[in-house]
Amino acid sequence: MKPFWQSFGFLQHILSSPFVIMGSLGLAQVFGLKSYKILLFPLALLIITFAIFSHPDIVHFHNFLEKTWTPLSLTICFF
């Protein structure tokens, strides 16, 4: 029997992304947990929620990419 989260295709894709896996590995080390897998589902839900709240629609996202992302990324890159 498949775990519950595998029945949703988009969650399986998000849970298998390196960002979520490395984030849960880091959090497991911080909290002293033996397994990182318990943190995958809550971390993926937080990332989805924050992504929806930060860019509610595609127009807002394209506006962010055009006007904000380049100066922000260059600042982070050089400092």
Side-chain angles (χ1 to χ4, degrees):
M1 184 168 173
K2 293 192 303 187
F4 174 74
W5 60 269
Q6 282 186 343
S7 55
F8 299 101
F10 70 94
L11 265 180
Q12 185 175 6
H13 175 70
I14 290 171
L15 288 174
S16 65
S17 77
F19 176 73
V20 176
I21 293 173
M22 293 303 152
S24 64
L25 274 170
L27 283 175
Q29 287 180 354
V30 167
F31 293 134
L33 300 174
K34 292 181 181 179
S35 176
Y36 71 94
K37 294 179 183 179
I38 192 76
L39 296 174
L40 284 175
F41 189 71
L43 190 60
L45 288 179
L46 282 173
I47 289 172
I48 291 170
T49 305
F50 289 142
I52 290 171
F53 281 123
S54 64
H55 302 295
D57 57 5
I58 195 71
V59 175
H60 183 272
F61 178 68
H62 281 288
N63 240 354
F64 173 77
L65 284 180
E66 289 175 1
K67 297 179 180 167
T68 310
W69 181 246
T70 303
L72 179 66
S73 64
L74 287 174
T75 304
I76 292 171
C77 176
F78 290 124
F79 295 113

